[in-house]
Amino acid sequence: VYDGTATATVSGLMPDVTAVQPPVALGPVSLANFDTRHAGTDKAITYASTFSDATYDLFATAAAPVGTYQARADITPRPLAVNAVTDARTYNGTTSSVGAPTVTGLQTGDTLNGALTQAFASKDVLGVGASTLVASGSYSVSDGNGGNNYSVSVLTAPGTVSPAPLAITAQNVSKVYGQAPALTGFDASALVNGETVGSVTLTSAGQAATAGVVGSPYAIVPSNATGGSFTPSNYSISYVNGALT
């Protein structure tokens, strides 16, 4: 596997599968190197060794120094992982993440150029550790081989988007005895990214025309916020009573 060097390992002779294996062995090997450090197939290796046999001879290509021989092998691309990192934040209506992706597998002398960023795959609250963080960015690998010494993979990471607190408050109402006013007013605080609440269920014992002055003010109780552009599960909703006088 590509390691940033031209160093090779030659450990023995290739068996002859078509005939009886000759009783010979390669001597100690030194100076074993590929022609280049880069990934490729059937790449030439030169190495030095000793070989002395009365019947057999080991030979190299023409013009090779005496005692220097040749073999061939592949250098395969090294896995290079761009890793998103875990992040946790409160819901803000976007997929933004402050985490900085990391890189593993880059060999000495090679560099990764460009900015790496990451983002949540979904803006929504999905549960603890259930949000996926995805790395991205415009980057390139400088390895002297157009980046072909590496097989790049982009790895995700688990993250958490927690609900942003939301207070729904019923608006106060005044009426004259005998009236039965509609209860529709509410205020929603801490909505993010321009989101809206469509409606809130409002109930009060003082809404009935027969509700007496005694007992006033009556609580206006909000519940069941829904509609609009917000998603209730993205918020931790608290309801605050209003007063009907």
Side-chain angles (χ1 to χ4, degrees):
V1 178
Y2 173 76
D3 64 1
T5 74
T7 303
T9 300
V10 178
S11 59
L13 299 171
M14 182 181 291
D16 185 349
V17 297
T18 64
V20 177
Q21 179 72 15
V24 296
L26 191 65
V29 172
S30 62
L31 304 176
N33 288 289
F34 284 94
D35 54 349
T36 71
R37 68 187 179 95
H38 301 307
T41 58
D42 202 32
K43 292 171 62 69
I45 298 172
T46 56
Y47 64 97
S49 183
T50 58
F51 186 88
S52 178
D53 190 276
T55 307
Y56 302 96
D57 190 22
L58 194 65
F59 64 92
T61 55
V66 175
T68 300
Y69 306 104
Q70 191 173 70
R72 287 187 175 273
D74 299 341
I75 296 180
T76 57
R78 174 170 289 275
L80 180 68
V82 177
N83 308 283
V85 297
T86 190
D87 188 17
R89 63 161 173 78
T90 301
Y91 175 77
N92 65 6
T94 75
T95 59
S96 64
S97 168
V98 297
T102 61
V103 177
T104 55
L106 198 64
Q107 298 300 289
T108 301
D110 297 338
T111 58
L112 187 99
N113 308 308
L116 292 175
T117 60
Q118 69 177 41
F120 287 92
S122 170
K123 67 180 178 63
D124 295 322
V125 174
L126 301 176
V128 176
S131 294
T132 300
L133 288 152
V134 181
S136 62
S138 177
Y139 58 88
S140 62
V141 177
S142 294
D143 61 357
N145 193 30
N148 293 317
N149 290 327
Y150 294 94
S151 175
V152 180
S153 57
V154 179
L155 304 180
T156 60
T160 301
V161 177
S162 301
L166 171 63
I168 303 291
T169 303
Q171 293 179 353
N172 295 335
V173 173
S174 295
K175 74 165 192 173
V176 174
Y177 173 75
Q179 294 178 339
L183 302 179
T184 58
F186 64 91
D187 296 312
S189 68
L191 285 165
V192 300
N193 206 31
E195 294 178 352
T196 60
V197 175
S199 64
V200 173
T201 299
L202 299 170
T203 58
S204 177
Q207 184 181 16
T210 55
V213 173
V214 176
S216 172
Y218 297 87
I220 303 175
V221 181
S223 63
N224 193 33
T226 189
S229 61
F230 93 126
T231 300
S233 59
N234 287 333
Y235 293 88
S236 177
I237 302 175
S238 59
Y239 292 98
V240 180
N241 292 347
L244 191 156
T245 303

